[in-house]
């Protein structure tokens, strides 16, 4: 996953949350519930993508530090 994917997932979560909100106003509770669940799933996917990128960057930083120390 990438940060672009995280961004797409968050956009999807925003959309699903808005639909859920509108469905609540229309008293379409089943549809509101479904969209709330899909919004949450999109947020979870975005969070995972961000976590993976953070770990990748931390690993790259550690490798750079280790290489720098080995050169000294």
């Amino acid at each position: 996953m990438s940060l672009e994917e995280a961004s797409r997932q968050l956009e999807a979560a925003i959309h699903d949350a808005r639909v859920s909100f509108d469905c609540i106003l229309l008293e379409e509770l089943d549809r509101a519930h479904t969209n709330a669940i899909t919004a949450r799933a999109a947020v979870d996917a975005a969070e995972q993508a961000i976590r993976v990128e953070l770990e990748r960057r931390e690993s790259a930083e550690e490798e750079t530090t280790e290489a720098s120390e080995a050169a000294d």
Side-chain angles (χ1 to χ4, degrees):
M1 286 198 187
S2 67
L3 292 181
E4 288 178 11
E5 179 63 19
S7 180
R8 281 191 293 274
Q9 290 294 334
L10 289 173
E11 287 290 337
I14 291 166
H15 175 266
D16 288 340
R18 285 182 180 149
V19 171
S20 184
F21 177 82
D22 290 342
C23 289
I24 290 169
L25 294 177
L26 297 171
E27 296 189 18
E28 295 180 17
L29 298 183
D30 286 337
R31 191 168 167 214
H33 183 244
T34 298
N35 280 281
I37 291 169
T38 57
R40 179 58 198 205
V43 168
D44 288 346
E47 188 270 336
Q48 177 63 22
I50 293 168
R51 182 182 309 165
V52 167
E53 180 63 18
L54 283 171
E55 290 173 359
R56 186 194 67 75
R57 290 182 183 191
E58 287 173 2
S59 177
E61 187 176 299
E62 288 174 7
E63 289 175 7
T64 301
T65 301
E66 291 172 2
S68 176
E69 289 173 355
D72 290 336

